[in-house]
């Protein structure tokens, strides 16, 4: 028997539910509330997505040079000021029953909506070392903004080859004593601007074609072993390792595998529509080559406008 019965006036029934509150989800919420729909976004972490952990954003039009956390707060505040409801929680699954989507969260509350937008982004990859979990929060971090204060005046390592590693290394260079940059490749990709700024720092040391092969410590991280492609190894004294080695789409709650690509991202068309009517996916959770705030915001806009057309036909 369907869970959905008669919830048209229920407080847990919405025109649109958005799973995730990064730039994509918040943009969609803004557009939908401006069209006067009942909208809520469900977020298990801090609203704002990955830009909350970005020290500085310099390429978002109109914002100039702004801290990522401030840009995230501005987006969130605009959405809630318009009337979008913020729900803290983790979505465990969803299904479509009759014309409604039924959304289940870990808190046991069941919510209903006419249209559903998935904007869950990605989850950071791990180093895949045997004792990595032991040091999570005790020396292993994926957020320099969150944990940088604990690394003040200490030696740290930053692992990765993209903007995440470079931008956070630049932030850490102002508070940490020494920074070891560990890169599995022979060069860094993405922003030359970050590289130019980092080249002026005297407390940064680079290790190319290298990766961390051992984490050492008793309760807390005290050093790492790095191994290069030629087989040579070296021990480095560090209190923290900040890991930026890519991510995977956060789609573990999606049960309908027909809308999932081989790499775990969600299949959508140019309108951000999945093959399920009324279901949209936006931002980094999709199979896209360019992951930028502006792209996420664009996805949110497209999905919201198409959801509005869908809702107009729904009645």
């Amino acid at each position: 028997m369907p869970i959905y019965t008669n919830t048209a006036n229920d407080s847990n029934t919405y025109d649109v539910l958005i799973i995730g509150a990064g730039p994509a989800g918040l943009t969609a919420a803004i557009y939908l509330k401006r069209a006067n729909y009942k909208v809520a976004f469900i977020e298990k972490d801090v609203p704002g997505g990955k830009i909350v952990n970005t020290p500085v954003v310099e390429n978002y039009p109109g914002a100039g040079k702004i801290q990522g956390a401030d840009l995230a707060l501005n987006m969130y505040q605009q959405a809630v000021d318009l009337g979008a409801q913020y729900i803290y929680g983790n979505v465990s699954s969803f299904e479509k029953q009759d014309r409604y989507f039924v959304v289940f969260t870990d808190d046991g509350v069941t919510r209903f909506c006419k249209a559903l937008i998935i904007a869950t982004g990605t989850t950071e990859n791990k180093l895949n070392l045997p004792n990595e979990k032991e040091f999570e929060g005790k020396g292993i971090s994926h957020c320099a903004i969150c944990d940088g204060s604990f690394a003040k005046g200490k030696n740290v390592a930053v692992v990765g080859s993209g903007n995440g590693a470079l931008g956070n290394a630049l932030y850490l260079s102002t508070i940490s004593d020494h920074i070891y940059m560990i890169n599995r490749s022979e060069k860094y990709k993405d922003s030359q601007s970050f590289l130019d700024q980092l080249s002026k720092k005297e407390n940064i040391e680079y290790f190319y074609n290298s990766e961390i092969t051992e984490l050492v410590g008793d309760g807390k991280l005290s050093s790492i072993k790095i191994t290069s492609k030629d087989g040579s190894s070296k021990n480095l004294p560090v209190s923290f390792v900040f890991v930026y080695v890519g991510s995977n789409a956060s789609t573990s709650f999606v049960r309908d595998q027909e809308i999932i690509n081989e790499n775990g991202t969600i299949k959508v068309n140019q309108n951000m529509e999945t093959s399920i009517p009324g279901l949209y996916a936006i931002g980094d959770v999709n199979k896209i080559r360019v992951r930028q705030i502006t792209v996420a915001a664009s996805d949110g806009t497209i999905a919201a406008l198409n959801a509005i057309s869908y809702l107009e036909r729904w009645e």
Side-chain angles (χ1 to χ4, degrees):
M1 177 181 293
I3 292 176
Y4 171 72
T5 53
N6 183 21
T7 59
N9 297 313
D10 192 283
S11 61
N12 288 325
T13 300
Y14 301 84
D15 292 314
V16 185
L17 277 174
I18 302 167
I19 308 174
L26 291 174
T27 300
I30 289 168
Y31 271 80
L32 288 161
K33 280 309 303 179
R34 283 175 54 83
N36 203 33
Y37 286 100
K38 184 180 179 182
V39 179
F41 51 89
I42 306 173
E43 174 58 59
K44 64 179 179 179
D45 293 313
V46 179
K50 284 186 171 54
I51 56 173
V52 172
N53 305 328
T54 304
V56 178
V57 176
E58 298 181 285
N59 56 1
Y60 193 78
K65 185 176 182 179
I66 186 172
Q67 291 186 0
D70 290 339
L71 180 58
L73 179 60
N74 291 345
M75 291 180 176
Y76 166 79
Q77 198 62 56
Q78 185 174 353
V80 296
D81 285 349
L82 286 166
Q85 181 183 349
Y86 166 45
I87 300 171
Y88 175 76
N90 180 61
V91 173
S92 55
S93 65
F94 70 88
E95 59 187 58
K96 193 171 186 181
Q97 296 186 4
D98 192 16
R99 302 172 70 197
Y100 279 83
F101 289 93
V102 185
V103 179
F104 304 93
T105 50
D106 289 349
D107 59 7
V109 178
T110 302
R111 298 176 175 88
F112 309 87
C113 57
K114 300 174 183 177
L116 181 63
I117 299 176
I118 299 174
T120 45
T122 57
T123 301
E124 290 78 8
N125 291 335
K126 309 292 185 180
L127 293 172
N128 293 323
L129 294 174
N131 57 346
E132 184 174 359
K133 188 174 182 179
E134 173 189 342
F135 292 111
E136 285 284 351
K138 300 176 182 178
I140 299 292
S141 175
H142 299 271
C143 178
I145 294 294
C146 310
D147 299 322
S149 60
F150 299 112
K152 187 175 181 180
K154 299 178 180 179
N155 293 348
V156 303
V158 177
V159 185
S161 60
N163 271 341
L166 294 172
N168 283 281
L170 186 61
Y171 167 73
L172 289 165
S173 70
T174 64
I175 57 177
S176 298
D177 185 48
H178 195 83
I179 301 173
Y180 300 106
M181 300 289 289
I182 315 297
N183 188 348
R184 288 183 296 182
S185 303
E186 58 186 16
K187 64 179 180 178
Y188 283 92
K189 52 190 176 183
D190 298 330
S191 178
Q192 185 62 41
S193 173
F194 281 139
L195 288 170
D196 291 342
Q197 294 176 72
L198 287 168
S199 67
K200 301 173 185 178
K201 304 291 183 177
E202 297 181 353
N203 61 338
I204 297 182
E205 187 174 353
Y206 296 89
F207 292 89
Y208 294 95
N209 296 313
S210 301
E211 60 183 330
I212 298 176
T213 52
E214 187 177 351
L215 302 169
V216 181
D218 185 10
K220 292 189 68 175
L221 187 68
S222 59
S223 68
I224 58 174
K225 179 182 178 180
I226 63 170
T227 303
S228 67
K229 287 184 177 179
D230 64 12
S232 62
S233 61
K234 186 172 185 178
N235 292 317
L236 303 175
V238 298
S239 298
F240 270 89
V241 175
F242 294 92
V243 182
Y244 303 96
V245 292
S247 55
N248 288 305
S250 299
T251 53
S252 61
F253 63 95
V254 180
R255 301 291 182 260
D256 189 334
Q257 293 302 307
E258 291 186 2
I259 65 171
I260 299 293
N261 290 300
E262 290 182 0
N263 64 352
T265 56
I266 297 180
K267 302 174 185 177
V268 295
N269 61 20
Q270 70 272 18
N271 295 324
M272 304 299 137
E273 300 165 324
T274 69
S275 59
I276 301 173
L279 178 64
Y280 306 83
I282 55 178
D284 290 357
V285 78
N286 290 344
K287 185 178 181 180
I288 52 176
R289 292 184 61 187
V290 179
R291 290 179 170 171
Q292 295 289 310
I293 303 171
T294 48
V295 175
S298 172
D299 283 1
T301 303
I302 294 169
L305 294 177
N306 282 284
I308 289 170
S309 296
Y310 174 79
L311 292 169
E312 289 174 345
R313 301 190 305 269
W314 198 87
E315 297 299 337

